[in-house]
């Protein structure tokens, strides 16, 4: 079992920054891949970024490359998503997720634990 809780969401103007955190408990944090996903109203949940167990491999969806950075601190059982140059189209509920098995890190179904989500709203 892995329990996840996101924090750091909020309202920000376009061009601003936010840092999301995902605190994990339960299973050894360093044994899971971590991902960030988002879901806007009326849309499907989509992949944003992921980091492998040992933080060697990171992956991003094209729309956030160069603006978002995913990281993790296995000593603190926490994953992060630094979001810079935010745009109104980044507005969504952001979810962190943990995958206990290997697989494609961009695929929703590969993740078996999810946090409740945190709202990010970017105003124009």
């Amino acid at each position: 079992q892995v329990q996840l809780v996101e924090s750091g969401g909020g309202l920000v103007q376009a061009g601003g920054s936010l840092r999301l955190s995902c605190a994990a408990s339960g299973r050894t944090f360093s044994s899971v891949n971590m991902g960030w996903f988002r879901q806007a109203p009326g849309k499907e949940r989509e992949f944003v970024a992921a980091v492998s167990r040992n933080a060697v491999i990171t992956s991003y969806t094209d729309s956030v490359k160069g603006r978002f950075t995913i990281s993790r601190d296995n000593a603190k059982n926490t994953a992060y998503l630094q979001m810079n140059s935010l745009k109104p189209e980044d507005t969504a509920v952001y979810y962190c997720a943990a995958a206990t098995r290997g697989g494609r890190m961009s695929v929703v179904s590969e993740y078996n634990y999810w946090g409740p989500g945190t709202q990010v709203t970017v105003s124009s």
Side-chain angles (χ1 to χ4, degrees), residues 34-109:
M34 294 297 298
W36 286 96
F37 294 77
R38 65 187 179 187
Q39 188 166 17
K43 295 187 177 181
E44 293 186 353
R45 192 168 299 190
E46 66 172 358
F47 169 72
V48 175
V51 59
S52 62
R53 296 170 175 81
N54 56 9
V56 171
I57 299 172
T58 58
S59 179
Y60 299 90
T61 192
D62 287 345
S63 63
V64 308
K65 285 181 180 177
R67 300 189 297 123
F68 291 11
T69 302
I70 190 170
S71 61
R72 65 189 296 162
D73 185 337
N74 286 347
K76 295 183 178 179
N77 291 351
T78 303
Y80 305 96
L81 186 67
Q82 178 66 43
M83 305 187 295
N84 299 329
S85 302
L86 282 161
K87 304 175 181 180
E89 51 264 44
D90 294 318
T91 295
V93 177
Y94 282 71
Y95 300 89
C96 69
T100 58
R101 54 184 179 266
R104 294 180 60 189
M105 293 196 295
S106 63
V107 177
V108 171
S109 60

Side-chain angles (χ1 to χ4, degrees), residues 4 10 27 110:
L4 303 171
R27 183 179 178 134
E110 291 293 339

Side-chain angles (χ1 to χ4, degrees), residues 2-7 21-25 29 34 36 76-80 96 115:
V2 179
Q3 294 78 41
L4 303 171
V5 179
E6 305 93 342
S7 62
S21 298
C22 176
S25 60
F29 184 66
M34 294 297 298
W36 286 96
K76 295 183 178 179
N77 291 351
T78 303
Y80 305 96
C96 69

